[in-house]
Amino acid sequence: MLLRRDGVADNHKRIGRIYRAAGLQVRKRVRRKLALGRGPIERMNLAPNQRWSLDFVHDRLRTNRRFRVLAVGDDCTRENLALEADFAFSGERMTRVLDAIAALRGYPETIVMDNGPEMISLAMLRWAVDRGVRLHHIAPGKPIQNAFIESFNGRLRDECLNEHDFATLADVRQVLGDWRERYNVERPHKALDWKTPEEFARSFATTHNTKSRHLSSVA
């Protein structure tokens, strides 16, 4: 049609053959399939590394400069896997934090998060495809669908961020590191039968290994 508008009169079949032979077709981009979830997350009996949750918490330094804290947790053991503080986060920065966690404990099956720009970035999508991790995005404006990390963030703000006046980002990282150690190692949780996250993770592994040996002996 463009040729005819320019005054070229020819058989449309011949034009089509020349068009294809010259490779002028617009190439369709083949997208790699990615397992994504939307909306409420399914309630289930969880195992460690089966599902992680992540979210950002915001605060300010004494100079009024804003900073962000990336919090990552295991929904089964309630362990806090990372508290990463910085002035800005890109999708690539998030994936580096997740790779550092996975280097110590392996990758999760699913990560639950909201719809922030870093979390729906191409870097995050590529990372999930390459690592075989399923991303589950909660519905917009429904933080209750990510209840585990939201509950953790409330404790983090009330017990740590609101109790300190931070002068520098180095101060933030030091305080967060100390608080995270106490949270994982010293603080018992009612939901974990009054065990600390670290104790629960160890007992879970012991119970799992005992069941596995029992099943092997039966077989």
Side-chain angles (χ1 to χ4, degrees):
M1 292 305 300
L2 290 173
L3 287 173
R4 288 178 180 176
R5 287 167 65 104
D6 289 339
V8 177
D10 206 337
N11 183 278
H12 72 278
K13 293 182 180 179
R14 182 170 181 271
I15 292 175
R17 287 196 297 271
I18 295 172
Y19 183 83
R20 289 189 294 273
L24 299 178
Q25 302 98 316
V26 176
R27 295 181 180 179
K28 292 185 178 180
R29 186 177 178 183
V30 179
R31 299 186 65 181
R32 300 177 70 177
K33 291 185 178 180
L34 175 66
L36 287 172
R38 297 286 181 185
I41 188 69
E42 181 184 356
R43 300 289 179 180
M44 62 179 72
N45 293 324
L46 296 171
N49 266 15
Q50 187 171 351
R51 193 169 75 206
W52 293 358
S53 297
L54 62 82
D55 197 10
F56 284 101
V57 183
H58 301 257
D59 209 334
R60 294 178 184 271
L61 298 179
R62 189 179 304 164
T63 59
N64 209 35
R65 185 174 183 183
R66 291 172 59 87
F67 65 87
R68 310 175 76 192
V69 179
L70 173 63
V72 186
D74 187 304
D75 287 3
C76 173
T77 64
R78 303 296 204 275
E79 293 170 283
N80 174 247
L81 308 180
L83 283 177
E84 192 78 9
D86 213 330
F87 295 119
F89 276 87
S90 63
E92 289 83 357
R93 176 70 187 283
M94 282 185 57
T95 62
R96 290 198 296 270
V97 173
L98 295 173
D99 279 333
I101 300 171
L104 301 175
R105 58 186 293 130
Y107 289 96
E109 296 179 15
T110 301
I111 298 180
V112 185
M113 52 193 169
D114 63 26
N115 298 274
E118 306 88 356
M119 302 173 190
I120 61 173
S121 65
L122 289 177
M124 192 68 186
L125 294 175
R126 284 194 296 266
W127 177 88
V129 170
D130 293 341
R131 273 68 171 179
V133 176
R134 179 177 181 268
L135 303 182
H136 186 101
H137 295 279
I138 64 174
K142 298 289 186 180
I144 191 63
Q145 294 178 1
N146 203 2
F148 289 115
I149 199 69
E150 289 293 335
S151 176
F152 173 83
N153 287 348
R155 294 190 180 96
L156 173 63
R157 183 168 297 283
D158 292 340
E159 300 174 11
C160 181
L161 297 179
N162 290 349
E163 295 297 314
H164 292 84
D165 181 23
F166 300 108
T168 65
L169 194 61
D171 292 341
V172 177
R173 290 168 175 165
Q174 178 65 48
V175 170
L176 288 177
D178 293 342
W179 187 85
R180 177 175 177 266
E181 179 73 12
R182 291 194 300 272
Y183 178 88
N184 283 333
V185 178
E186 301 175 12
R187 176 181 178 142
H189 288 246
K190 182 178 180 180
L192 304 180
D193 196 22
W194 297 112
K195 295 183 176 68
T196 68
E198 184 181 75
E199 289 170 343
F200 183 76
R202 284 201 306 266
S203 65
F204 196 102
T206 302
T207 303
H208 178 73
N209 291 336
T210 302
K211 288 182 178 179
S212 298
R213 289 194 297 271
H214 175 69
L215 290 174
S216 300
S217 63
V218 171

